[in-house]
Amino acid sequence: MDKVNSVFDVASRAMSAQMTRLNTIASNLANANTVASSSAEAYKALRPVFAAQFSEKVNKSGLATVGIEGIVALDREPGKTYAPDHPKADEQGYIYRAAVDTDEEMVEMLEASRHYQNNLEVLSTLRTLMMRTISMGR
């Protein structure tokens, strides 16, 4: 694990985590309407797994941020539709639709983009405060 040294580290890593979240959401939405020949082959929605990352001097600085521990597929059953004429139909005539809830993905996307924007605002505020501090010394 890399060192967490400043508030800039905290915000940038949080933004990186939300970008990963947005990328998994984009992948889920892109595959939402795919079909497969079996339940095992059907696309399953992905989610990043977040983990707290603490500064080496967390007791003094209080700095902690978030990191990505991994990306996992959600344990959901794909939709099963009877379509015997479909080229991907199995022996019984079923196709299996991706286990992706597009409404849920849109809510996830909205939340992730808001978290990203909030961290961007933190960086902007820090920059402004630093510039004011520098100009006070003149």
Side-chain angles (χ1 to χ4, degrees), residues 26-41:
S27 178
N28 294 341
L29 289 171
N31 287 289
N33 294 319
T34 60
V35 295
S37 299
S38 71
S39 178
E41 294 174 4

Side-chain angles (χ1 to χ4, degrees), residues 1 3-5 54-59 61 63:
M1 172 177 26
K3 295 178 184 175
V4 180
N5 295 317
F54 299 97
S55 168
E56 289 179 352
K57 299 175 184 175
V58 71
N59 292 337
S61 68
L63 290 177

Side-chain angles (χ1 to χ4, degrees), residues 58-104:
V58 71
N59 292 337
K60 283 186 171 184
S61 68
L63 290 177
T65 190
V66 67
I68 301 293
E69 197 169 271
I71 297 175
V72 298
L74 297 180
D75 188 23
R76 294 186 179 158
E77 287 298 315
K80 185 176 175 182
T81 305
Y82 185 69
D85 296 331
H86 195 283
K88 290 197 172 187
D90 65 7
E91 303 82 38
Q92 290 83 32
Y94 289 98
I95 56 172
Y96 299 84
R97 300 196 178 277
V100 175
D101 181 345
T102 55
D103 292 335
E104 178 184 347

Side-chain angles (χ1 to χ4, degrees), residues 6-35:
S6 69
V7 177
F8 291 104
D9 286 340
V10 172
S12 65
R13 290 173 197 223
M15 289 172 65
S16 177
Q18 293 307 320
M19 187 55 67
T20 300
R21 185 177 176 196
L22 287 167
N23 286 336
T24 59
I25 292 165
S27 178
N28 294 341
L29 289 171
N31 287 289
N33 294 319
T34 60
V35 295

